[in-house]
Amino acid sequence: MRILVIEDNRDILANVLDYLELKGYVVDCAQDGLSGLHLAATEHYDLIVLDIMLPGIDGYQVCKRLREDAGRDTPIIMLTARDALADRLQGLSAGADDYLIKPFALSELVARIEAILRRCQGSRKRQLQVADLCYDLDTLEVSRGGQPVRLNPIGHKLLALLMQRSPAVVRREVLEEALWGEDLPESDSLRSHIHQLRQVLDKPFDKPLLHTVHGVGFRLAEESDAR
């Protein structure tokens, strides 16, 4: 599960990141509203933890623009020191799914995250999509242009990593660590798996989606986004 934390207080941010990673979540972060909105609108997250008082634009605006302009329905838990009823209602009306008052116990935050994710898993599919490429994370079915794409286990993991970060470049070392951890294979196995993925993902189709950024890594995107 991948979570985005948008919080400008460095101490709170560090504590939340450490605790969520300890619980097994993959966590990204932003420390201002505009950066957080950009990440939330362009990347795939299972849930967002969003502070209200942020530099740039506040959490209410981040939530509202994410819902109305970006069309994202990612679950959002708002964090704030404000405990007035009007503040809670404003957060919920902006599109938040839950509201947690500071100071809060990290264990309560995780309990609320788990509760929301349980509800969402039963009501919505977890799907990734880039152009005409679709990946259902629940059934592990991959298709492009309506045609099924068959992958081996490493291919599935590699594709998910690239799609979650699309259209950004994913560095070679990031992919290698995610696939093999510290036990890296002696040969250039990543190049081999990228080649296999490209054979089934791009070769049968007119427009390539998997692009090599020489000396850096790889990105999955339409040509217009890959430039």
Side-chain angles (χ1 to χ4, degrees), residues 23 25 47 109-119:
K23 293 296 182 179
Y25 293 102
L47 184 138
L109 173 61
V110 168
R112 292 187 181 222
I113 288 173
E114 291 174 347
I116 289 177
L117 292 177
R118 281 196 301 270
R119 291 199 300 269

Side-chain angles (χ1 to χ4, degrees), residues 52-206:
I52 288 181
M53 301 302 293
L54 294 167
I57 58 174
D58 64 25
Y60 296 129
Q61 287 299 311
V62 171
C63 188
K64 187 175 182 180
R65 288 168 64 174
L66 190 63
R67 297 294 191 231
E68 296 180 0
D69 298 338
R72 291 299 184 101
D73 61 353
T74 311
I76 294 174
I77 297 178
M78 277 192 165
L79 305 178
T80 183
R82 299 176 175 178
D83 61 355
L85 176 60
D87 295 317
R88 296 199 297 275
L89 292 177
Q90 184 177 354
L92 295 172
S93 65
D97 296 88
D98 202 353
Y99 201 98
L100 193 56
I101 306 296
K102 297 179 179 178
F104 55 85
L106 292 171
S107 57
E108 182 181 3
L109 173 61
V110 168
R112 292 187 181 222
I113 288 173
E114 291 174 347
I116 289 177
L117 292 177
R118 281 196 301 270
R119 291 199 300 269
C120 291
Q121 285 174 353
S123 61
R124 58 198 276 265
K125 290 185 176 180
R126 298 186 305 131
Q127 290 186 328
L128 301 175
Q129 181 161 357
V130 176
D132 59 348
L133 176 66
C134 299
Y135 187 179
D136 188 316
L137 295 172
D138 293 315
T139 64
L140 300 183
E141 292 178 350
V142 180
S143 64
R144 182 169 180 192
Q147 300 181 35
V149 175
R150 300 190 182 282
L151 301 171
N152 60 32
I154 289 184
H156 274 284
K157 191 169 184 179
L158 184 57
L159 180 61
L161 290 165
L162 291 166
M163 292 186 75
Q164 286 169 348
R165 299 280 183 172
S166 176
V169 178
V170 186
R171 302 182 70 88
R172 288 182 59 92
E173 55 267 30
V174 172
L175 291 172
E176 289 174 337
E177 183 179 357
L179 292 173
W180 296 291
E182 297 180 358
D183 189 22
L184 294 179
E186 293 182 4
S187 61
D188 190 357
S189 292
L190 179 61
R191 182 186 299 275
S192 174
H193 287 292
I194 287 289
H195 174 74
Q196 292 176 34
L197 185 59
R198 185 174 275 126
Q199 288 294 108
V200 296
L201 205 62
D202 284 343
K203 191 173 181 180
F205 302 93
D206 295 332

Side-chain angles (χ1 to χ4, degrees), residues 23-38:
K23 293 296 182 179
Y25 293 102
V26 177
V27 189
D28 288 345
C29 67
Q31 297 186 59
D32 64 85
L34 287 174
S35 297
L37 177 61
H38 175 74

